[in-house]
Amino acid sequence: MKYPCHKEQLTSLRRIEGQIRGIQGMVEEGKYCVDILNQIKAVKNSITTVEGKILKTHLHECIKNSLKGNDDFNAKMDEIVKVLKR
């Protein structure tokens, strides 16, 4: 099976990586707790956005393809539910 490309998410992931490094710097410099927490919240929101985009692609391409082919639809649905429960 050919998997969809998620390279368009690399820009966001690199930005998140930079945000994490920024948080590390804030901790090392002893910045104010609330400022650090605000940055952590921003990273969590960014990760959620990337997660949503990858999930949407998965649903549109992988799940859609499983309906056309011989793949087991129920197995794909179980896989999604398992991922979302984590």
Side-chain angles (χ1 to χ4, degrees):
M1 176 178 188
K2 185 177 183 297
Y3 298 111
C5 179
H6 299 289
K7 287 185 180 181
E8 67 272 6
Q9 300 308 318
L10 288 174
T11 301
S12 296
L13 291 169
R14 288 185 184 112
R15 185 176 59 253
I16 292 166
E17 181 182 27
Q19 288 175 301
I20 296 292
R21 277 190 256 109
I23 293 169
Q24 289 171 332
M26 292 175 77
V27 170
E28 289 170 354
E29 295 168 12
K31 297 290 183 177
Y32 184 52
C33 302
V34 172
D35 293 337
I36 295 169
L37 290 169
N38 284 331
Q39 290 304 308
I40 290 170
K41 185 69 171 172
V43 168
K44 288 171 64 174
N45 289 335
S46 296
I47 289 171
T48 298
T49 298
V50 171
E51 176 187 34
K53 290 177 181 179
I54 291 174
L55 177 60
K56 182 177 179 180
T57 300
H58 179 66
L59 293 173
H60 279 277
E61 296 190 28
C62 299
I63 300 299
K64 185 176 170 181
N65 287 339
S66 74
L67 293 173
K68 292 178 184 176
N70 295 328
D71 293 342
D72 182 19
F73 178 75
N74 290 327
K76 291 289 186 187
M77 286 294 105
D78 290 344
E79 179 181 60
I80 291 294
V81 170
K82 184 177 177 181
V83 166
L84 293 176
K85 283 185 177 180
R86 290 185 193 151

